[in-house]
Amino acid sequence: SGGASINWYNATVGSGFLGSGNVLAVTAPTVTTTYYAEAIDGTTSCVSSARTAVTLTVNPNPATPAGTLNVCIGFTTTLSSATSGGTWTSSNANATVGSATGVVAGVTAGTADITYTLPTGCLTTVTATVNPLPAAIGGTTNVCEGLTTTLTNGTSGGTWTSSKPAVATVSSSGIVTGVGLGITTIKYMLSTGCYDEFDVTVNPNLGVNRLNRNMNISLIPYSISGMKALILVSVPCLKILKLQHPNRN
């Protein structure tokens, strides 16, 4: 009724008075607890015949998300929680996250709070960092066996590696040396794990003993200081195949 007040207790009868008011403040509860409310009429001071049970249910928080909290722009990382049934959200556009999968995609360099929320409203939050990619690798995509070509990157501090050193090696300064025929992937990686990669083809450095009828090549005559030469012109690796003196066959 109008003007009524409430007394709070921790027992159905007797003592255990906790406080008065329409709200009972409970600080950082850790277990589910039942409290008891007793109404007092403000006009007659009559007390309710029985105290009313009010149960405060304490729900557990979900387990802290597990997974890598660093991701590169354009790449993904997957977070998981040992507590099932929750939903994933991201605090901003630096990263997106699959609401049901926990797959975090880097969009823009920066940070984003990734939150996992249970149907009870209990939640846990971690911060994901989105790292920038290095600049694109510059240079040529072809090199001859035994020769070198230099690749560059405008972002300092990275490390060069080759996926197939038997095809081509790469030095700490980006110098690629052709070793054997084939294609290798040259990667430039920053300390954050973000990288750019570049496929390099190693072509044969042809000599007379390596020509065969299946090669699609052409030869043209060329004069060098009175000497005649045939030069291979249709593949990247040029080779003088034969020198001929003008007075000799």
Side-chain angles (χ1 to χ4, degrees):
S1 60
S5 62
I6 297 176
N7 290 334
W8 294 91
Y9 298 86
N10 61 10
T12 55
V13 295
S15 60
F17 177 75
L18 299 174
S20 298
N22 292 333
V23 176
L24 175 65
V26 180
T27 303
T30 57
V31 295
T32 297
T33 304
T34 300
Y35 301 94
Y36 300 91
E38 178 185 77
I40 303 173
D41 190 286
T43 302
T44 65
S45 298
C46 293
V47 179
S48 57
S49 60
R51 296 172 183 172
T52 301
V54 179
T55 299
L56 173 64
T57 301
V58 177
N59 296 302
N61 287 320
T64 300
T68 301
L69 295 176
N70 288 277
V71 64
C72 304
I73 292 176
F75 288 77
T76 62
T77 184
T78 300
L79 302 181
S80 62
S81 176
T83 308
S84 61
T87 302
W88 299 92
T89 57
S90 173
S91 64
N92 59 53
N94 288 338
T96 62
V97 61
S99 61
T101 62
V103 177
V104 178
V107 178
T108 306
T111 61
D113 291 334
I114 306 298
T115 300
Y116 184 69
T117 306
L118 298 178
T120 59
C122 297
L123 55 86
T124 184
T125 299
V126 293
T127 299
T129 299
V130 181
N131 297 301
L133 298 174
I137 295 173
T140 180
T141 59
N142 291 277
V143 66
C144 302
E145 283 181 290
L147 300 183
T148 64
T149 185
T150 299
L151 302 181
T152 60
N153 193 281
T155 307
S156 62
T159 302
W160 296 95
T161 58
S162 171
S163 66
K164 297 178 181 178
V167 174
T169 60
V170 60
S171 71
S172 60
S173 58
I175 298 175
V176 178
T177 301
V179 178
L181 303 184
I183 298 174
T184 184
T185 299
I186 303 298
K187 183 179 290 185
Y188 183 75
M189 181 178 289
L190 303 178
S191 59
T192 59
C194 299
Y195 63 89
D196 188 43
E197 57 186 13
F198 194 88
D199 284 345
V200 172
T201 300
V202 178
N203 297 297
N205 204 350
L206 297 176
V208 175
N209 62 332
R210 297 196 56 180
L211 294 178
N212 64 65
R213 67 184 61 187
N214 296 320
M215 289 185 177
N216 181 24
I217 63 175
S218 61
L219 301 176
I220 62 172
Y222 192 77
S223 177
I224 305 176
S225 300
M227 304 289 285
K228 291 182 179 179
L230 295 178
I231 301 178
L232 181 67
V233 295
S234 63
V235 297
C237 303
L238 300 181
K239 186 76 172 182
I240 295 176
L241 301 178
K242 181 180 178 182
L243 288 176
Q244 183 178 11
H245 193 278
N247 297 325
R248 297 178 183 176
N249 294 327

